[in-house]
Amino acid sequence: MFRKNAERGIISLKKEKYGVSEGGAPLYYFPSKNKCTHLLIAGIHGEEPETTFLLSRAIRFLRDSLDHVAFVLCANPDGMALGTRGNERGVDLNRNFLTTNWLPEDVLCRLTLESPRETRLSPGKAPLSEKETGALVSLIQKLEPKLILSMHSPMACIDAPLKSKEVKALENIFKIPWVPSIGYETPGSLGTWCSENNIECITLELPRIALETMETDFAVSFAQWIASI
Ligand SMILES: [Zn+2]
């Protein structure tokens, strides 16, 4: 069923545009053939290209769109092009969703897991002030998935309210533990927005690992999991 490596140079799934970024880049997603129940989202933080890379490597095994799984490979194309966590306007998109706990204060980020939280980003001038978050919310509201997988790195854990069968499968693939909470406040995050809108959200924090090793260690098993959900 999976394509051979010789065919994995390109993505063969149909792609659709769901919006435009603040910097004018197209926002693409790969729709499911029928009603979407699972939406996988990578690349919302531009400094985490391994999320986009791994998801791309996995879906390049697929010959055709899946029946009910849809994909956003890069929710923050400007940040990815600039190599920055935030978008072109310096907004951390994962703090820009409309949630009851959204805060106008600067977001404090760290440059590595060992660094202090001292690098400032904006949460946006208001919730959903950024084109990328507005377009993503519209896409989710259109697709109405029951489960969203939000991909990040490199905290090496799976943050989800429940240890569901999907969480257990991801624990086995990535050899990382489930945590019921990430351990710090994430006001305005996609995960919080999902919980307030009754959508199950699993935040997959990939382990710290080289891009090339991901192909060997995870691409096949992650693709098999995607094809099985
Ligand atoms: Zn992240």
Side-chain angles (χ1 to χ4, degrees):
M1 155 193 187
F2 279 1
R3 299 199 298 181
K4 300 260 185 283
N5 285 346
E7 303 172 277
R8 287 176 65 217
I10 57 164
I11 298 173
S12 63
L13 280 55
K14 188 167 73 81
K15 160 176 101 178
E16 282 181 22
K17 193 167 152 183
Y18 69 90
V20 177
S21 72
E22 289 290 344
L27 298 166
Y28 291 118
Y29 83 112
F30 296 84
S32 52
K33 275 188 201 157
N34 294 308
K35 169 81 181 82
C36 171
T37 57
H38 293 64
L39 176 63
L40 279 56
I41 301 171
I44 198 166
H45 283 145
E47 281 184 331
E48 298 165 6
E50 56 271 52
T51 59
T52 297
F53 175 87
L54 177 63
L55 189 55
S56 171
R57 285 285 176 108
I59 68 174
R60 279 188 262 157
F61 276 112
L62 306 174
R63 214 167 285 288
D64 199 0
S65 303
L66 292 177
D67 183 62
H68 59 269
V69 188
F71 309 96
V72 173
L73 271 186
C74 186
N76 179 12
D78 298 340
M80 196 73 77
L82 296 167
T84 57
R85 180 179 175 89
N87 70 353
E88 187 178 89
R89 307 203 305 174
V91 173
D92 185 335
L93 298 176
N94 205 34
R95 298 292 181 278
N96 188 240
F97 289 87
L98 178 57
T99 64
T100 53
N101 66 355
W102 184 84
L103 290 173
E105 282 88 43
D106 278 358
V107 185
L108 294 176
C109 312
R110 52 191 175 188
L111 296 176
T112 73
L113 280 179
E114 293 76 23
S115 305
R117 290 186 189 280
E118 61 182 1
T119 305
R120 291 180 177 275
L121 282 179
S122 164
K125 61 182 186 301
L128 299 183
S129 59
E130 307 307 295
K131 289 181 179 171
E132 294 90 342
T133 42
L136 191 57
V137 165
S138 296
L139 178 68
I140 294 167
Q141 288 172 336
K142 180 178 101 168
L143 299 179
E144 298 181 314
K146 69 178 174 63
L147 189 146
I148 288 177
L149 183 77
S150 174
M151 296 175 67
H152 291 262
S153 74
M155 290 183 65
C157 63
I158 301 159
D159 177 19
L162 296 170
K163 193 169 177 171
S164 61
K165 70 175 189 332
E166 287 89 356
V167 169
K168 287 179 194 162
L170 292 168
E171 276 188 323
N172 286 333
I173 293 168
F174 294 102
K175 310 285 181 262
I176 55 177
W178 166 70
V179 293
S181 162
I182 203 80
Y184 55 89
E185 291 297 309
T186 57
S189 71
L190 174 61
T192 305
W193 181 85
C194 284
S195 71
E196 291 182 2
N197 286 274
N198 297 314
I199 300 169
E200 185 183 348
C201 181
I202 298 173
T203 301
L204 171 63
E205 282 274 355
L206 294 171
R208 186 182 249 167
I209 193 159
L211 294 185
E212 193 189 57
T213 322
M214 285 199 171
E215 168 68 18
T216 321
D217 291 352
F218 304 131
V220 175
S221 49
F222 191 47
Q224 286 169 337
W225 177 74
I226 287 170
S228 76
I229 55 178

